Amino acid sequence: MASKSGEKLPVVTEAETALRSLGVRGAVLDQRPAGRGHWFADWSGPLAGSDVYLAVMGKSSTTRKVRLVLDDWILEDIAAGHLGDVITAVFSGRASIRGKRAYLLLPVQMLRVAAGRSHYSATKKLPAGDAPRAPWERALLADPDDSDDGSG
């Protein structure tokens, strides 16, 4: 794997480039092996008025799809070539968070973002009680007055 020789994987470099394009100075993901040929890279710091945690995971150094973690959102199966576009879209307001119901009862939020001709999404339970949302999440709410109840 490329990380053993100290080289960044191209998909990790793409994530760093996206962060820099969003104004993050010195954006460097900490890339490391995760066993059985898998790899993991993460970064945390200020972005879009928030303290953000970002992680990228893949199954091989030539992976075609990655998992992206943004705070407590997990986006699965992102095409490696779309990773930078997805990160940029989320933190530049070109994504949305809407409330909905899962299994007809459970209120959840859905983060949706497009890159190229693909659409990616992640869901999570609504924050407990009056738990504050990160500023980057508030900026993406489709209906800021309604989405807290999951019915939006």
Side-chain angles (χ1 to χ4, degrees):
M1 180 162 69
S3 65
K4 288 182 181 177
S5 65
E7 293 177 29
K8 290 279 175 137
L9 295 171
V11 69
V12 174
T13 301
E14 183 177 345
E16 292 172 341
T17 300
L19 289 171
R20 282 188 210 97
S21 76
L22 292 163
V24 177
R25 291 182 174 207
V28 177
L29 275 71
D30 178 23
Q31 177 183 308
R32 54 202 175 272
R36 296 185 312 193
H38 296 202
W39 55 269
F40 180 86
D42 65 345
W43 169 89
S44 64
L47 174 61
S50 305
D51 184 24
V52 173
Y53 176 74
L54 180 145
V56 183
M57 295 161 246
K59 292 184 178 180
S60 73
S61 61
T62 59
T63 192
R64 293 184 307 176
K65 294 182 179 181
V66 297
R67 173 182 294 157
L68 173 64
V69 176
L70 300 172
D71 288 340
D72 52 354
W73 295 93
I74 302 172
L75 293 105
E76 301 278 355
D77 296 328
I78 296 177
H82 289 168
L83 181 62
D85 292 339
V86 168
I87 294 168
T88 303
V90 168
F91 292 103
S92 63
R94 296 188 330 263
S96 66
I97 295 175
R98 294 181 186 274
K100 62 178 266 178
R101 300 253 175 218
Y103 308 113
L104 301 175
L105 297 173
L106 181 65
V108 297
Q109 299 173 2
M110 178 179 280
L111 169 63
R112 292 187 48 91
V113 59
R117 288 192 262 163
S118 299
H119 295 269
Y120 303 100
S121 64
T123 58
K124 71 174 187 173
K125 289 197 281 187
L126 287 171
D130 293 333
R133 298 176 193 270
W136 73 266
E137 290 176 309
R138 284 195 305 269
L140 298 179
L141 288 174
D143 185 353
D145 296 327
D146 244 0
S147 290
D148 283 345
D149 69 0
S151 62

